[in-house]
Amino acid sequence: MKKIFLATIICFNLTLAFGQVTPFEYEKQTGYKGKNIPDLTYIEDSYSFLVLGDFGRVGDYYQQDVARELGHATIALEAEFIVSVGDNFYPNGVASTTDYHWISSFETIYKDPSLYTDWYVALGNHDYRGNVQAQIDYSNISRRWNMPARYYSKTFEVNDNEKLLLIVMDTNPYIDSYHEDPEKYTGIAGQDTAKQTQWLTEQLQTDDPQVKWKIVVGHHPLYSGGKRKESEDTKLFEKKFADLFDQHQVDAYICGHEHDLQIIKPQGRFTTQFLSGAASEVRASGNREGTIFAAAESGFMAFSIVDGKILVQTVRANETGAKVLHKYELTK
């Protein structure tokens, strides 16, 4: 009886403390060994998720640094889930659900306890060089890996009367140049883009009045100030989807492919693009018309929804730790 009484007092004290401190400070009280990201803004009662991309390099480049700080941010923000924008395994995807890449580039890298939450994963061009079906099937093996199909959607309840519609595209079949090399991009020729576009449009036309936010995830960018700024693939992808996203008032398009961090909203556009493809390798970045932020830094982005706003924090993560480089607010 004495032990039960003592345990009750301890739990009660921790509950009281949690009401007075941040999620990170609470976790430290209970034994968490990770570090905080001091300039990362936590908003009470917010609904948060994290975004990274282009990561699977057996822990090399900056992958382990980003993974470490991603775990710290998940704790600090009480993040609900994680989004990967694709290129999950370099250089040529995975061969099967038992490919060692799952261990060397995912399971043993993202090992902070907070990262055993739901991951919603998109396909990148390097994933198409391997067995795409194996990445889909791994959803039945892993508790955290979610890829039920090449493209899919999920609705999240942000609060009692506000929902987030997350749509994960497979952008690879829309890149015309990939069809010129079908042996390199396995199964690309068999993908029905008209069917996916119809599905995408139907998803965006949701009649659920509680859906306040529409976010689309895909691998390829609509715009870039980096390596692919003048790429014909990028320009054609913009022509295929920028107007559609604006028409259906997509609040954010989240992507990668470029190995840097960018936020772009061209003049006259409704949709803001958030490019987070710097979870391992980093390349030179740059500006273009509509660039709000660009950095050739390794890291990720954090999205926090509260009171009709989304706070987007861009976080640098390297061997020295983490630092918030930029904060941007989407408002309704």
Side-chain angles (χ1 to χ4, degrees):
M1 180 66 72
K2 186 176 180 180
K3 289 182 179 179
I4 295 173
F5 179 69
L6 181 60
T8 303
I9 291 175
I10 292 172
C11 291
F12 180 68
N13 286 339
L14 287 174
T15 302
L16 285 178
F18 184 55
Q20 300 167 1
V21 300
T22 67
F24 176 81
E25 291 168 329
Y26 171 72
E27 291 299 328
K28 291 295 284 186
Q29 291 179 20
T30 63
Y32 179 63
K33 303 300 183 184
K35 295 181 179 180
N36 197 6
I37 302 175
D39 47 355
L40 189 68
T41 299
Y42 167 70
I43 306 171
E44 191 172 357
D45 296 327
S46 60
Y47 187 96
S48 299
F49 63 92
L50 304 179
V51 175
L52 79 164
D54 302 76
F55 64 74
R57 294 181 184 274
V58 198
D60 211 334
Y61 299 76
Y62 292 101
Q63 190 185 4
Q64 293 192 64
D65 297 321
V66 174
R68 180 191 67 242
E69 301 303 334
L70 189 75
H72 297 163
T74 305
I75 288 286
L77 297 177
E78 285 190 300
E80 301 287 341
F81 58 87
I82 296 164
V83 170
S84 167
V85 299
D87 275 4
N88 308 310
F89 301 99
Y90 288 93
N92 299 314
V94 291
S96 69
T97 57
T98 58
D99 192 312
Y100 192 70
H101 230 331
W102 289 106
I103 304 300
S104 62
S105 289
F106 183 65
E107 299 292 0
T108 61
I109 303 299
Y110 303 99
K111 57 187 180 181
D112 189 287
S114 68
L115 299 179
Y116 282 81
T117 187
D118 288 326
W119 289 57
Y120 296 97
V121 189
L123 290 164
N125 52 298
H126 283 269
D127 301 311
Y128 256 85
R129 298 181 188 182
N131 185 345
V132 168
Q133 188 60 45
Q135 293 202 37
I136 296 171
D137 292 344
Y138 199 70
S139 302
N140 298 320
I141 296 173
S142 169
R143 166 60 184 82
R144 53 179 169 168
W145 185 272
N146 288 274
M147 187 191 289
R150 291 175 190 249
Y151 52 91
Y152 57 95
S153 70
K154 188 172 178 63
T155 302
F156 301 89
E157 291 190 8
V158 176
N159 54 45
D160 291 340
N161 59 4
E162 185 177 3
K163 294 179 182 178
L164 159 66
L165 173 62
L166 185 77
I167 299 173
V168 180
M169 293 180 61
D170 178 6
T171 59
N172 297 280
Y174 294 98
I175 306 303
D176 295 350
S177 64
Y178 293 177
H179 292 267
E180 297 170 8
D181 195 352
E183 292 185 3
K184 184 177 182 180
Y185 299 102
T186 308
I188 197 82
Q191 302 310 305
D192 187 341
T193 54
K195 182 179 179 180
Q196 185 179 170
T197 302
Q198 180 181 355
W199 170 86
L200 173 64
T201 302
E202 291 171 352
Q203 295 295 308
L204 292 173
Q205 289 174 337
T206 176
D207 57 2
D208 186 343
Q210 291 189 325
V211 172
K212 304 298 183 185
W213 300 100
K214 296 178 184 177
I215 295 180
V216 177
V217 176
H219 183 63
H220 295 84
L222 297 163
Y223 330 103
S224 177
K227 175 184 176 181
R228 296 179 173 88
K229 180 178 181 178
E230 300 300 331
S231 166
E232 191 66 18
D233 285 341
T234 303
K235 292 178 179 179
L236 289 174
F237 191 74
E238 175 188 354
K239 289 181 180 178
K240 291 175 181 178
F241 290 104
D243 287 342
L244 180 67
F245 291 166
D246 283 353
Q247 177 187 346
H248 294 286
Q249 296 193 319
V250 172
D251 299 286
Y253 176 62
I254 298 174
C255 60
H257 198 44
E258 296 282 57
H259 297 176
D260 58 3
L261 301 164
Q262 300 183 51
I263 302 174
I264 301 173
K265 185 179 183 181
Q267 186 175 6
R269 287 295 182 190
F270 180 89
T271 303
T272 306
Q273 175 185 279
F274 298 90
L275 193 156
S276 182
S280 59
E281 183 190 56
V282 175
R283 289 196 295 250
S285 190
N287 297 333
R288 53 147 287 162
E289 188 275 316
T291 294
I292 296 167
F293 172 79
E297 300 278 2
S298 52
F300 56 91
M301 292 183 178
F303 290 69
S304 298
I305 306 172
V306 68
D307 296 332
K309 298 178 181 179
I310 301 181
L311 173 64
V312 183
Q313 301 179 82
T314 302
V315 182
R316 180 184 68 203
N318 57 27
E319 64 276 7
T320 65
K323 179 178 177 57
V324 177
L325 299 178
H326 186 264
K327 298 184 181 184
Y328 181 77
E329 201 171 79
L330 283 174
T331 58
K332 276 294 184 186

